[in-house]
Amino acid sequence: MSRLPASRSPLTLSTTDKEQIMPLVRITQQDVRTPEQSRRMADTVQDVMLELFSAPARDRYQIVETLPVGSILAEDTGLGIERSDGVVIIHVTQQGRSTEQKQAVYAALAQRLAAAELVRPEDLIVSVVHNDREDWSFGHGRAQFLTGEL
């Protein structure tokens, strides 16, 4: 089920739906959540992508990876953050989002996942990286963004 935001944030992209580029999201966590909690977390992340990154509806590309406890080693980078086994790393590969949009995503993810009692803000690490249209193939060995199929 795709969720559409009630209203667009001023931080959303100003492009047509055809030009909006979906992000690829990898959610890596340790095995401390139920499958239902993991799905709710993925749905919350998707809602944020739709609202603040203007991801196109029905362009959901997420990988939810669950590892054994002790598999994620995440220190505090000298910030005094106390992490638990509930640590989650969200890695977003995207195109064309502004610094303001990225900062809004960081804040929204921390707030919404904490409000849903899914991830403590101290346990959330988010990394956003950029790639280009030629970096994608959606199947059949073709670069659909370059061939005009997308």
Side-chain angles (χ1 to χ4, degrees):
M1 177 171 109
S2 180
R3 291 180 170 88
L4 293 174
S7 64
R8 293 279 186 201
S9 161
L11 298 174
T12 58
L13 295 173
S14 59
T15 58
T16 67
D17 286 344
K18 179 74 173 164
E19 295 169 331
Q20 293 172 344
I21 316 265
M22 88 302 164
L24 170 64
V25 178
R26 177 181 293 273
I27 302 167
T28 305
Q29 63 178 336
Q30 297 188 119
D31 194 10
V32 298
R33 292 175 186 83
T34 66
E36 294 78 19
Q37 289 171 320
S38 294
R39 179 58 192 235
R40 283 185 24 236
M41 180 171 44
D43 289 345
T44 300
V45 171
Q46 179 67 6
D47 288 345
V48 171
M49 294 298 112
L50 288 168
E51 182 180 331
L52 297 174
F53 268 11
S54 293
R58 299 191 45 81
D59 251 358
R60 184 173 185 166
Y61 290 90
Q62 293 181 319
I63 303 159
V64 180
E65 177 178 44
T66 303
L67 305 172
V69 172
S71 296
I72 297 177
L73 307 173
E75 296 184 351
D76 69 353
T77 316
L79 297 171
I81 298 171
E82 294 292 328
R83 304 212 195 272
S84 75
D85 288 341
V87 67
V88 172
I89 299 173
I90 298 175
H91 184 87
V92 183
T93 303
Q94 57 77 45
Q95 298 173 27
R97 274 54 179 218
S98 68
T99 298
E100 293 80 13
Q101 284 177 296
K102 293 173 190 174
Q103 289 176 318
V105 162
Y106 305 149
L109 287 171
Q111 186 276 322
R112 293 179 194 184
L113 292 170
E117 297 182 354
L118 294 168
V119 183
R120 296 177 332 134
E122 299 88 347
D123 286 332
L124 181 63
I125 300 168
V126 181
S127 173
V128 177
V129 298
H130 176 84
N131 75 353
D132 295 309
R133 287 179 172 260
E134 64 265 18
D135 297 324
W136 290 93
S137 171
F138 294 94
H140 301 291
R142 295 192 300 270
Q144 286 88 350
F145 283 136
L146 300 181
T147 64
E149 295 169 77
L150 285 175

